[in-house]
Structure formats: structure tokens, C-alpha cells
Amino acid sequence: MKITRVTPRAVAEPGGLTYLVVRVDTDEGVSGYAETTAGPAPQVTVDQLKRELSTLVGANPFRAVQIDEALKSVQASLAARAAANVACLDILGKATRASVYEILGGPTRHKVRAMAVLGDASEDMLRASVLAAKQEGFRAFSVPLTMPSGKERGRRFYTGIRSTLDGLRGAAGEECDFVLDCAGRTSPGEALSIADRLAGFHLLWMDEPCGELSATAQASLAKGSAMPTGYGRGFTDVARFQDLLREDAVDVLRPALATHGLTAVRKAAAIAETYYVAVAPFHRGGPIGTAAGVHVCAALPNSFVQERPFSTNSANRQFRAAISGWDEKPSDGFFPLTGRPGLGLAVDEHVLDAHTVAR
Amino acid sequence: MNRRDLLKASLLGVAAPAFGQAPPASSGLGCGDCFAKEIALAMPAAPRLKVTGVKTFGVTSDALPRDRPHVFVKIETDAGVVGWGEATLEGKAGAALQAVHDLSYAVIGQDPMHVEHHWQSMYIHAFYRSGPVLGSAISGIDQALWDIRGKVLGRPVYELLGGPIDERGVRGYYHLRPVLPANAPYREQVAAIRERAEKFGVTAFKTGIPGYYEWIDTHQRIKEAIDQLHVLREVMGDAIDIAVDFHAKTSPAVALQICREVESLNLMFVEEPCPPENVQAMKRISDRTTVPIATGERLITPYGCRELIEGKVVDILQVDVNHVGGVSALWKVAAMAESSGIVMAPHACEGPVGAVASTHVDAAMPNFLVQEICSGVEPDAKDALWQELLGYPAMRMVDGYYPLPTKPGLGIEVDERALARHPFGGTKPFVLLPVHEDGSIASP
């Protein structure tokens, strides 16, 4: 089998979320799909991926590692390498009539825990989003930390976080779990104070409690509290995860699917396994990325949850289901495994065409 | 419902379809009182096929080292697809054979495609984790499951791992075995081996160091080892890679003296310059010499490799697909090593099934260096036995590479009639049981 064409394009959801969809065609009529980030200038990213991925034409899509080594040798972008990896696995799965999680050695479970990523909003809107997501089948929610506009913190900042989370759990029920997404905006000291204030709440974990600091600084929360911490959405190399693990700095690895693809996430997970550390792939894009995340989580022994962006906008939800042929709905907190070949999606090119913003 | 209840509920959900009834609830009173034990074996998704049997074959032959009867594992399925693996464990053949049967509960009746799930079950449910006997048994079963996975999907195992990276196959090395009569002088032996290496395209060899060593040793013994390695490089020339196996015969104190005085030879690596239990001792050596240090053949599971990788103690890891935990574990160790700039030179001194399985994983490793096989540049009686068992000259290099099988799975067919011609003759100890001149125990 040979790759005959690679087609990246940027698509925009009705709500504005934009991401890249990459289609890889072969001479045997099997096509694979992948998704990656659009970046701040989607047309620039599309042009770059076109250039980088054109080198795949003529390659055997079953040689995912060989292809990645070739892309790495020409300093191709991480987005290109991640997309090539996922699309090749999709093709291999379809060609062998196996789900991607089966190709990867799974399943290790028959369903994958799901988490709804909620957007920035007022407390009332957050509560409405949690309830809507729960209605859709989620039992775990990633809640953004709202930071004061200035430098002032004060006790009210910390008590407010606790109050918001208590309110959300009160509304959603004791069976619901939360991640506090700090998005790298807190300092290590602030993160420690928040962790202290949240004692007994049992967050799943605090996500990205501080930004791209040294591993020692990033470890300060883990060393100073019992609060589980998640890191890694911005890491561009698996080796960074190994550094954090060596520092005892992380409880949940958060490799971004759009940056790493599936094989590298699997490698990060293999490193984490020997530290008894879980993996929850970071994903803030579309349904093809969600599907890829569900597949890798289904294959890993130490995955915990796969997140996806949640929107109360019904047009968004309809769009995502239309382009992928999958409604991304969990059942009682878990994504079911479909068992369909490859990523198990039925991508609708017509809907993609209608929402393409760069090609 | 709290998180513990959530977990419990999720497990209950798995159990009911598999066993037809809810499992007994945990009282939560006793140590290890957990209902999950049997539930976790169940994966309710409709299986493609089911494991119906796990068989073992011990193979004893004069062509093999006496401690190394081959232990093969055959997994049968209701679809007629069978998988082969190897659980050979030097000096513990009987224990490995029995351990495979002890673990068969984890896969019988299960879908063989779920290899990671079964690996976790065999390792975690064993309670007493790791150890070479358990590791070898897991390895044999894991390889057989991968063989089945490849056959069901119609692809070689290396393709399921994303490989091969190099279409020529997997680069290998032979051991420095005599090709002239045993009493021929060392220089002449090496020259004859070099001549054959050039003829066959072999680019790397491994040798040992002479004799046995105490933890502090004499000028004469240390100098003998150093001089021999210098002669080896001189006669072998600069184009061929040379690895040297200290075989854990030396202490850090002795190994360091030898390593420092052979640095100019640019060896490919020195292997096991001290025993493997003490990682800090190994680090003491690697910190003080420029010779690349290799170890790993006695390490079991990725957990057993973590400290070496974390501390960047070695340059090369040599885990063995027959002990570390099969294809699944070898791939994981390579992934762990890759992020630390450690390259892989997997060990293989048992039988041909595991050796071939190792080449499948090698083919998909970006950080692969070289694959061992305990054979010489000239085929011998063991190679003839392997040809009899597998129907082709398994693990014989062509122009310095082991060719990759092209058939699905591991790409090999084991001849059971040939196995029957070499029935298991019982467990035998290691080939050498050396003592020092004062009668104290020496490391072989």
C-alpha cells in the first residue's frame, strides 16, 4: 500500500473553535484521518502541513515509525508528525479491520472514562454547563480557574475557588468529579494555597498549576501537598515527561494529542507506568482528536480519562457529530468502544467542505 | 456515590455479563479483600476468538547448553489460529514450564487480541511481582499472543508496532567462537574469524574476558584481560565493532581498571561490568570511563529497568524478550530508554522463537543499536537444530542483518514433530560452576 495524497484543511465549528483535519489517501482506496491544532493563523499552518506532509506520498502507511523518523529528520512540525502518526494508524486499522486500540495492544478496558472541558464562564453559567454535560452523560468535568484581573489575590480569591467548586458538586452530585484547570496561570505558591484550601474536596487533580517553569518549580506543588497534579499540555518532547517523573512532580501526564499523536503518547505512558502515574491525554479540538484519544486510552494500562471540549451550543454538537459520524456522548461517565475498524469514524467530506476555512 | 463506589460500580458492570451474576461485594474488612480479582479477567466485548489451550514444550538436545533446554509456549484458539512464544530460562527450565501453566488461567477463555490486558493480569494478579520465573512465563505467553494478533490481522508483528524502520532487517552480532581447532593460537583464531566475517558481511562480534575475578584482583589477571582486548582490536581491525561481556564477573574496582585501559579501542560496549543488583555500583563504573556501558539481560519487566534509566546509569540496555515480559515489555523498555538517549541491544541466548520475536520489536525501535545471538560466524549443531525446529536457518545473518520474516505474526512455523524428537530432559544448572583457586565461589 502506498500513500497517494495528503490533504490538510482547517475547519471552524459554528462556535468558532478551529482545528486542522488531515486526510491521507492510499492507492488501495483506504483513507485515514487525523486532527491537529490550527495555530493562530490556520492558513499558514495548512500551508506548512501541505509542504511537510507532501513527502509522505509514495510511502507505505504501515511504516508509522519509519515515516516519523523521516519527518523528524527534516525538522517537520510536531503537528505534521502527530497527524501522520494518527492517520497511518487509522489506515492500518481499516486495512486489517481492527480498531486502533487493538493495533496498539488493547483494549485494556471496555469503556473509557470521559471528561467534559468547560469554557470560561460565570459561576451560574458553569453550573448550567455542568448540568448540561451531566445530562449528556459526563460525570467528570474540567473547570477553568478564574483569575483576578490584577495582581491582588487575598483570601477571597482562595475561598471563592472552594465555594465555586462546592457549588458545582452540590449541583451535580457526589458522583461527579472535577479537575481544576489552572492553565499555567498560577504561581507555585498560589497553587499550594489553592491546594490547601481544597483539602477534602478530592479534586481528581489540579491541571497545569504553573506554566513552563523549571521541573523543580513545577514539582513544588507535588512536594508541598497531597493534591494530585497534572502537567504536560505544552510539552513538545516525551523526555520532558521523564524529567517531571524523575522529580516526583506529576501524578497525571497530560500529553497533547495534537502535538504527539498516539505512538508518542503511548511511549510517555510506558515511562509513567513504572512510576505508578496515570495518563489523561490533553485535547481541546474536534471529534477526530477525541476518537484518537479514546483509542489510545483504551489501549493503555494506566490511562484515566479522555477529555473533550463541551459546548452547550447545539449547532456545535451537531457539526461535530456530522463531520465524524460520532456523537462523542459518554454513557454514565464513560465513552463506549465501538469496535469499528481504524478510529471508527465516518467522516463526511461534504460537511467538512462547508466549514473549511483554509485549504 | 463516592469515587470508591464509582470504581466498584464500574467493576460490577464488567463482571455481570461475563459471569452471569454479580460478584460478591467486598466486606472491606480483610487485607486484600477485593472482589475485583476475578472480575478484571472479564472483557465483555464480543471476542474475535478465544484461547482454548496453553501448551508447553521443553526441548533438550546435546546441541544446546545444558542449562538451556528451550521452553516453547503454544497458545491455541477456537478459530484454529495458534501462537508460539518462548519462556526459556537458563538453569530453571522446569520452573518456567510450570509457571506458564500457572499463568494460563489469565488467558484461557479470553480474547488473545487483548495482549496488554492479559500482560497486566499476569503481572498484577500474581501478587508477587516480577522475578525471572514469572517474567519468563509472561514473556512466553505474551509472545504467543502477539503471534496470534499478527496472524489474525494478517500482518507481521513489527508492522503492528509501526516498523520496520530499516527494510534490510535487523543488524546483529555473533559471539567470538573458534573456527580453528581449539588449540590454535588466539591471534590465528581471531584472524580466521575476521576472514569469515568479511566474507559473510558480519560487522560486529562480542567476546568475553578470560578467567574469573575476585573483587580485588592481581596485576597478572587484570593485565591478561587488557592485553587480550588490545590483541583482539589489532587483529580484528578498525572496521568491525567489538563488544566485551564482563558477565558480571568483575567488581567495580576491577572493571574500572580494565575499562580505563581499553578506552582507546573504541569498543561498542562493555557489558555487565559488575553484577546487576546494585545500580549505584554500576553507575560508579559508567561515571568513570568513556567506554559505553551495557546491562539488562537479567532485568525483569519495565519496572526493573526504571532506576537504570532514571539515573542514566548505562548507555545501552540489553533486556531479553524471553525474560523482560515479551514483546509488550521490550517495546516499553525501548520507549523508556529512548527519552534518555539510551540505545537498545537486546540479549538473546536462548531459543529461536524468542530471538525472532526480539527482531520484530527491534525493527520498530528508533533507538535500536544491535541484536545479539549466541552463535558463531560458522553455523554449528545448534543452528542445525533450529533449522530442524523452524524449517529455515533462523537467526543467521545475511550481510550483517537478520532478515525479517514476511509472514503474519512472528512469521515462523514450529514443527511439533521436530519438538517431539528432542523431549525435555529435565532442569540442569548453568554450564559453568566456577570457584577461585582457594575454593570460594566465582561468578561464571
Side-chain angles (χ1 to χ4, degrees), chain A residues 62-66 69 92 96-98 102-103 105-110 113 174-175 177 204 238-239 242 246 263 266-267 270-271 273-276 299 301, chain B residues 1 3 6 14 43-44 48 113-117 120 149 153 155 159-165 167 302-303 306 309-310 331-332 335-336 338-340 364 366:
Chain A
F62 296 166
R63 307 284 192 264
V65 180
Q66 192 182 69
E69 289 294 301
L92 179 56
T96 56
R97 302 202 56 72
E102 272 188 304
I103 298 288
T108 56
R109 58 203 72 225
H110 64 89
R113 191 184 301 277
E174 284 290 307
E175 71 273 29
D177 283 294
L204 290 175
V238 172
Q242 200 167 40
R246 283 174 173 142
T263 301
R266 220 176 140 211
K267 288 181 178 180
I271 300 169
E273 190 182 342
T274 59
Y275 291 82
Y276 318 115
Chain B
M1 184 182 278
R3 287 177 62 193
L6 191 68
V14 181
M43 292 288 281
R48 283 174 180 261
M113 303 299 286
H114 303 177
V115 64
E116 179 69 38
H117 183 72
Q120 297 291 331
R149 284 166 48 74
L153 300 179
R155 313 304 310 180
E159 276 195 0
L160 301 183
L161 299 170
I165 295 172
E167 303 284 351
Y303 294 97
R306 183 197 56 77
I309 295 170
E310 179 177 292
W331 185 89
K332 286 184 183 180
M336 293 161 64
E338 188 184 348
S339 282
S340 284

Side-chain angles (χ1 to χ4, degrees), chain A residues 60-110:
Chain A
N60 181 344
F62 296 166
R63 307 284 192 264
V65 180
Q66 192 182 69
I67 285 172
D68 187 59
E69 289 294 301
L71 289 171
K72 193 163 63 174
S73 71
V74 296
Q75 285 89 46
S77 62
L78 290 168
R81 290 171 58 192
N85 179 260
V86 176
C88 284
L89 287 167
D90 190 23
I91 290 169
L92 179 56
K94 286 169 177 167
T96 56
R97 302 202 56 72
S99 295
V100 165
Y101 59 74
E102 272 188 304
I103 298 288
L104 300 178
T108 56
R109 58 203 72 225
H110 64 89

Side-chain angles (χ1 to χ4, degrees), chain A residues 26-40:
Chain A
T26 66
D27 59 355
E28 294 186 18
V30 182
S31 298
Y33 285 91
E35 184 193 311
T36 187
T37 47

